Amino acid sequence: AGQSDYAYANCFLDEFANLREQQRALGRCFGRTLSLNWPFWEEGGLILAPEYQQMLEHTLGIVSLTTPQGFAAFLHALELDATN
């Protein structure tokens, strides 16, 4: 439950980033656009019940992201030549 909403929203953001980067290549806008599809952050503002978090991990392989992992992934993504 809720995963399809998240996936749909990420798909929208991915397409927006791709479209905006195409516009940037044509000189119609400035600044790089990057879409990141984050998993659940362990120390984020959203709080999951422990049993739901365990169910996500065991059934779907979705594990929470630690803050150091998230920052490392963010910095790495900025170094890549990709939009998502």
Side-chain angles (χ1 to χ4, degrees):
Q3 294 304 307
S4 61
D5 295 347
Y6 183 77
Y8 188 84
N10 278 326
C11 183
F12 172 82
L13 292 173
D14 291 345
E15 290 303 315
F16 175 80
N18 288 329
L19 178 62
R20 190 168 185 290
E21 283 299 295
Q22 290 172 7
Q23 296 298 310
R24 183 175 70 102
L26 296 171
R28 296 182 182 157
C29 63
F30 303 93
R32 183 166 171 234
T33 303
L34 177 65
S35 173
L36 299 174
N37 297 186
W38 294 112
F40 174 72
W41 279 58
E42 190 174 280
E43 299 160 329
L46 181 66
I47 298 172
L48 296 181
E51 58 274 4
Y52 183 66
Q53 190 170 355
Q54 289 175 348
M55 187 274 301
L56 287 175
E57 185 174 341
H58 293 300
T59 60
L60 301 174
I62 297 174
V63 295
S64 58
L65 186 70
T66 66
T67 298
Q69 290 171 325
F71 282 129
F74 179 67
L75 293 174
H76 181 68
L78 292 176
E79 295 172 349
L80 300 174
D81 187 28
T83 57
N84 54 44

